[in-house]
Amino acid sequence: MNPGLVTLHVWRVPRRAVPGVPARMATHPARLRRLPGVRFAKLLGTGTGTGFGPGDADLTRWAALVVWDSPADAAGFDASPVARSWARIAHAAVRVDLRPLTSRGRWSGREPFGAPPGGRVTGPVLALTRARSRAATFWRAIPPVAAELHTAPGLLARFGVGEAPLGWQGTVSVWRDPADLVAFAYRSPEHRAAITRTPTEGWYAEELFARFAVGDVVGDRTVLGWAAADGDPETSRGYA
Protein backbone atom coordinates (compact mmCIF):
# COMPACT_ATOMS: atom_id res chain seq x y z
CA MET A 1 0.00 0.00 0.00
CA ASN A 2 1.34 3.41 -0.95
CA PRO A 3 1.30 6.26 1.58
CA GLY A 4 -1.30 8.96 1.14
CA LEU A 5 1.21 11.65 2.00
CA VAL A 6 4.65 12.09 3.55
CA THR A 7 5.43 15.26 5.48
CA LEU A 8 8.73 16.66 6.69
CA HIS A 9 8.45 19.09 9.61
CA VAL A 10 11.51 21.10 10.64
CA TRP A 11 11.75 23.46 13.62
CA ARG A 12 14.38 26.06 14.49
CA VAL A 13 14.65 26.70 18.22
CA PRO A 14 16.62 29.42 20.02
CA ARG A 15 19.65 28.31 22.00
CA ARG A 16 17.93 29.15 25.27
CA ALA A 17 15.32 26.49 24.43
CA VAL A 18 17.81 23.70 23.67
CA PRO A 19 17.74 22.33 27.28
CA GLY A 20 14.07 21.50 26.74
CA VAL A 21 14.75 19.37 23.66
CA PRO A 22 16.03 16.09 25.22
CA ALA A 23 12.75 15.47 27.05
CA ARG A 24 10.84 15.95 23.80
CA MET A 25 13.18 13.63 21.92
CA ALA A 26 12.70 10.98 24.59
CA THR A 27 8.90 11.08 24.81
CA HIS A 28 7.62 12.37 21.47
CA PRO A 29 8.60 9.50 19.13
CA ALA A 30 6.04 7.16 20.68
CA ARG A 31 3.42 9.92 20.81
CA LEU A 32 4.07 10.73 17.17
CA ARG A 33 3.56 7.13 16.09
CA ARG A 34 0.24 7.00 17.96
CA LEU A 35 -1.32 9.96 16.13
CA PRO A 36 -4.35 9.04 14.01
CA GLY A 37 -3.44 8.05 10.47
CA VAL A 38 0.31 7.69 11.09
CA ARG A 39 1.91 4.69 9.39
CA PHE A 40 5.54 5.49 10.12
CA ALA A 41 7.25 8.35 11.92
CA LYS A 42 10.72 9.39 13.03
CA LEU A 43 11.80 12.31 15.20
CA LEU A 44 15.24 13.44 14.09
CA GLY A 45 18.15 15.59 15.04
CA THR A 46 19.87 17.48 12.25
CA GLY A 47 23.34 18.55 11.18
CA THR A 48 25.00 20.71 8.58
CA GLY A 49 25.47 17.79 6.21
CA THR A 50 29.20 18.38 5.85
CA GLY A 51 30.00 15.29 7.90
CA PHE A 52 28.49 12.76 10.27
CA GLY A 53 28.82 12.49 14.02
CA PRO A 54 28.52 14.77 17.06
CA GLY A 55 30.69 17.49 15.52
CA ASP A 56 28.15 18.04 12.75
CA ALA A 57 25.09 18.30 15.01
CA ASP A 58 22.89 21.40 14.88
CA LEU A 59 21.25 21.59 18.30
CA THR A 60 18.93 24.40 17.21
CA ARG A 61 17.19 22.47 14.41
CA TRP A 62 15.01 19.37 14.79
CA ALA A 63 12.77 17.46 12.43
CA ALA A 64 9.99 14.92 12.11
CA LEU A 65 9.34 12.71 9.08
CA VAL A 66 5.82 11.28 9.00
CA VAL A 67 4.07 8.87 6.63
CA TRP A 68 0.28 9.34 6.67
CA ASP A 69 -2.71 7.34 5.51
CA SER A 70 -4.20 10.42 3.86
CA PRO A 71 -3.79 14.19 3.45
CA ALA A 72 -6.76 14.62 5.80
CA ASP A 73 -4.84 12.85 8.57
CA ALA A 74 -1.75 14.96 7.87
CA ALA A 75 -3.82 18.14 8.13
CA GLY A 76 -4.42 17.43 11.81
CA PHE A 77 -0.75 17.38 12.78
CA ASP A 78 -0.46 21.04 13.76
CA ALA A 79 -3.19 20.59 16.36
CA SER A 80 -1.53 17.52 17.90
CA PRO A 81 0.21 17.66 21.30
CA VAL A 82 3.56 16.88 19.63
CA ALA A 83 3.33 19.74 17.14
CA ARG A 84 2.06 22.20 19.75
CA SER A 85 4.93 21.30 22.06
CA TRP A 86 7.53 22.08 19.39
CA ALA A 87 5.68 25.22 18.35
CA ARG A 88 6.00 26.55 21.91
CA ILE A 89 9.80 26.59 21.73
CA ALA A 90 10.40 27.15 18.00
CA HIS A 91 10.95 30.62 16.55
CA ALA A 92 10.68 29.33 12.95
CA ALA A 93 9.27 26.23 11.29
CA VAL A 94 8.50 24.74 7.89
CA ARG A 95 6.48 21.82 6.56
CA VAL A 96 7.28 20.09 3.26
CA ASP A 97 4.63 17.90 1.63
CA LEU A 98 6.14 14.99 -0.29
CA ARG A 99 4.97 12.34 -2.73
CA PRO A 100 7.23 9.25 -2.91
CA LEU A 101 8.65 8.54 -6.36
CA THR A 102 11.13 5.76 -5.65
CA SER A 103 12.24 3.97 -2.50
CA ARG A 104 14.78 1.22 -1.94
CA GLY A 105 15.80 -0.32 1.35
CA ARG A 106 14.54 -0.40 4.91
CA TRP A 107 14.37 1.83 7.96
CA SER A 108 14.10 0.13 11.34
CA GLY A 109 13.27 -3.08 9.51
CA ARG A 110 10.40 -1.53 7.54
CA GLU A 111 9.77 -0.20 4.05
CA PRO A 112 8.15 3.07 5.15
CA PHE A 113 7.23 4.40 1.70
CA GLY A 114 5.95 1.14 0.23
CA ALA A 115 6.32 0.68 -3.52
CA PRO A 116 5.91 4.18 -4.99
CA PRO A 117 4.30 4.33 -8.43
CA GLY A 118 6.78 6.91 -9.73
CA GLY A 119 5.36 9.39 -12.23
CA ARG A 120 6.38 12.52 -14.06
CA VAL A 121 7.64 15.42 -11.97
CA THR A 122 8.03 19.07 -12.83
CA GLY A 123 9.79 21.13 -10.22
CA PRO A 124 11.74 20.37 -7.06
CA VAL A 125 12.51 16.90 -5.79
CA LEU A 126 13.81 15.77 -2.41
CA ALA A 127 16.28 12.94 -1.86
CA LEU A 128 16.49 11.10 1.45
CA THR A 129 19.38 8.78 2.24
CA ARG A 130 19.59 6.94 5.50
CA ALA A 131 22.09 4.33 6.64
CA ARG A 132 23.13 2.46 9.75
CA SER A 133 26.87 2.23 9.23
CA ARG A 134 29.08 -0.50 10.63
CA ALA A 135 32.40 0.39 9.00
CA ALA A 136 34.99 2.96 9.99
CA THR A 137 35.96 3.42 6.32
CA PHE A 138 32.48 4.84 5.70
CA TRP A 139 33.20 7.87 7.91
CA ARG A 140 36.41 8.62 6.00
CA ALA A 141 34.59 8.50 2.65
CA ILE A 142 31.90 11.04 3.58
CA PRO A 143 33.75 14.42 3.56
CA PRO A 144 34.68 14.37 -0.16
CA VAL A 145 31.09 13.51 -1.14
CA ALA A 146 29.68 16.23 1.14
CA ALA A 147 32.08 18.82 -0.28
CA GLU A 148 31.05 17.98 -3.83
CA LEU A 149 27.36 18.07 -2.89
CA HIS A 150 27.76 21.59 -1.50
CA THR A 151 28.66 22.99 -4.94
CA ALA A 152 26.38 20.79 -7.06
CA PRO A 153 24.31 22.69 -9.68
CA GLY A 154 20.60 22.81 -8.87
CA LEU A 155 20.98 22.10 -5.14
CA LEU A 156 18.40 24.15 -3.21
CA ALA A 157 18.90 22.81 0.32
CA ARG A 158 20.70 20.05 2.18
CA PHE A 159 21.24 18.97 5.77
CA GLY A 160 22.03 15.87 7.77
CA VAL A 161 19.53 13.93 9.86
CA GLY A 162 20.12 11.36 12.55
CA GLU A 163 18.50 9.27 15.23
CA ALA A 164 21.71 9.08 17.26
CA PRO A 165 25.08 10.87 17.26
CA LEU A 166 26.88 7.99 15.56
CA GLY A 167 25.89 5.11 13.32
CA TRP A 168 22.29 6.07 12.48
CA GLN A 169 22.68 8.80 9.91
CA GLY A 170 21.14 10.26 6.80
CA THR A 171 20.93 13.24 4.51
CA VAL A 172 18.11 15.34 3.09
CA SER A 173 18.73 17.27 -0.11
CA VAL A 174 16.31 19.34 -2.21
CA TRP A 175 16.97 19.84 -5.94
CA ARG A 176 15.62 22.29 -8.49
CA ASP A 177 14.46 19.42 -10.72
CA PRO A 178 15.03 15.69 -11.22
CA ALA A 179 17.74 16.23 -13.84
CA ASP A 180 19.96 18.06 -11.33
CA LEU A 181 19.62 15.23 -8.82
CA VAL A 182 20.41 12.58 -11.42
CA ALA A 183 23.42 14.55 -12.63
CA PHE A 184 24.90 14.63 -9.14
CA ALA A 185 24.06 11.03 -8.30
CA TYR A 186 25.56 9.48 -11.41
CA ARG A 187 28.05 11.99 -12.81
CA SER A 188 29.71 13.26 -9.63
CA PRO A 189 33.10 11.46 -9.37
CA GLU A 190 33.12 11.31 -5.57
CA HIS A 191 29.50 10.18 -5.29
CA ARG A 192 29.94 7.61 -8.06
CA ALA A 193 33.00 6.22 -6.30
CA ALA A 194 31.07 5.92 -3.04
CA ILE A 195 28.24 4.05 -4.81
CA THR A 196 30.78 1.65 -6.32
CA ARG A 197 32.43 0.95 -2.97
CA THR A 198 29.21 0.35 -1.02
CA PRO A 199 28.60 -3.33 -1.93
CA THR A 200 32.26 -4.31 -1.67
CA GLU A 201 33.03 -2.47 1.57
CA GLY A 202 29.89 -3.68 3.40
CA TRP A 203 29.42 -0.22 4.93
CA TYR A 204 25.77 -0.51 5.92
CA ALA A 205 23.90 -2.79 8.26
CA GLU A 206 20.71 -1.16 6.94
CA GLU A 207 20.15 1.44 4.24
CA LEU A 208 17.39 3.37 2.53
CA PHE A 209 17.37 5.64 -0.51
CA ALA A 210 14.18 7.47 -1.48
CA ARG A 211 13.15 10.28 -3.80
CA PHE A 212 10.07 12.47 -3.52
CA ALA A 213 8.23 15.07 -5.54
CA VAL A 214 8.03 18.27 -3.49
CA GLY A 215 4.51 19.64 -3.10
CA ASP A 216 3.65 22.51 -0.80
CA VAL A 217 6.41 24.15 1.21
CA VAL A 218 4.67 25.98 4.04
CA GLY A 219 6.52 28.22 6.48
CA ASP A 220 10.05 29.57 6.66
CA ARG A 221 12.19 27.85 4.03
CA THR A 222 15.38 29.26 5.55
CA VAL A 223 14.98 26.64 8.28
CA LEU A 224 15.93 24.12 5.58
CA GLY A 225 18.87 26.22 4.46
CA TRP A 226 16.95 26.75 1.20
CA ALA A 227 19.00 28.70 -1.31
CA ALA A 228 16.28 29.34 -3.87
CA ALA A 229 17.16 31.13 -7.06
CA ASP A 230 15.62 34.47 -7.98
CA GLY A 231 12.07 33.99 -9.15
CA ASP A 232 11.46 30.75 -7.27
CA PRO A 233 7.96 30.74 -5.75
CA GLU A 234 7.60 30.89 -1.98
CA THR A 235 5.45 27.78 -2.19
CA SER A 236 6.58 25.02 -4.54
CA ARG A 237 4.20 22.55 -6.18
CA GLY A 238 6.19 19.81 -7.87
CA TYR A 239 3.51 17.16 -8.31
CA ALA A 240 2.62 16.31 -11.87
Side-chain angles (χ1 to χ4, degrees):
M1 184 183 299
N2 294 314
L5 182 68
V6 178
T7 56
L8 175 67
H9 307 265
V10 188
W11 301 276
R12 177 72 73 181
V13 305
R15 292 197 176 276
R16 66 177 181 278
V18 169
V21 167
R24 287 170 169 81
M25 293 298 290
T27 61
H28 284 184
R31 294 178 183 178
L32 189 58
R33 291 191 294 270
R34 290 197 298 266
L35 294 179
V38 170
R39 297 185 189 179
F40 181 87
K42 289 290 182 180
L43 199 58
L44 304 163
T46 77
T48 65
T50 57
F52 286 150
D56 186 58
D58 183 348
L59 298 181
T60 68
R61 183 173 57 188
W62 303 85
L65 182 73
V66 190
V67 181
W68 303 91
D69 283 333
S70 71
D73 291 316
F77 176 74
D78 287 344
S80 71
V82 172
R84 292 201 308 268
S85 179
W86 284 97
R88 282 196 296 271
I89 64 170
H91 63 71
V94 66
R95 186 196 80 230
V96 185
D97 291 347
L98 303 167
R99 175 170 62 85
L101 297 171
T102 62
S103 181
R104 175 172 61 84
R106 293 178 176 270
W107 194 341
S108 297
R110 296 179 58 186
E111 296 179 347
F113 311 115
R120 185 178 64 88
V121 178
T122 57
V125 291
L126 182 146
L128 169 68
T129 67
R130 184 264 175 188
R132 180 158 59 92
S133 175
R134 58 188 174 190
T137 53
F138 169 77
W139 307 108
R140 294 195 292 271
I142 288 301
V145 177
E148 198 166 37
L149 172 62
H150 182 67
T151 58
L155 180 69
L156 297 177
R158 60 95 186 236
F159 55 92
V161 292
E163 298 164 78
L166 288 171
W168 306 78
Q169 301 293 342
T171 60
V172 169
S173 58
V174 184
W175 301 82
R176 182 176 48 202
D177 57 47
D180 290 317
L181 171 56
V182 170
F184 174 76
Y186 296 105
R187 298 174 198 163
S188 155
E190 295 291 353
H191 191 262
R192 195 169 60 245
I195 292 174
T196 302
R197 292 178 65 187
T198 294
T200 57
E201 296 279 357
W203 277 338
Y204 307 135
E206 184 181 59
E207 60 183 332
L208 181 140
F209 302 93
R211 297 180 186 179
F212 306 83
V214 174
D216 286 350
V217 181
V218 181
D220 185 351
R221 294 188 302 176
T222 65
V223 176
L224 303 172
W226 193 292
D230 291 342
D232 279 356
E234 284 303 313
T235 299
S236 304
R237 288 177 174 84
Y239 296 177

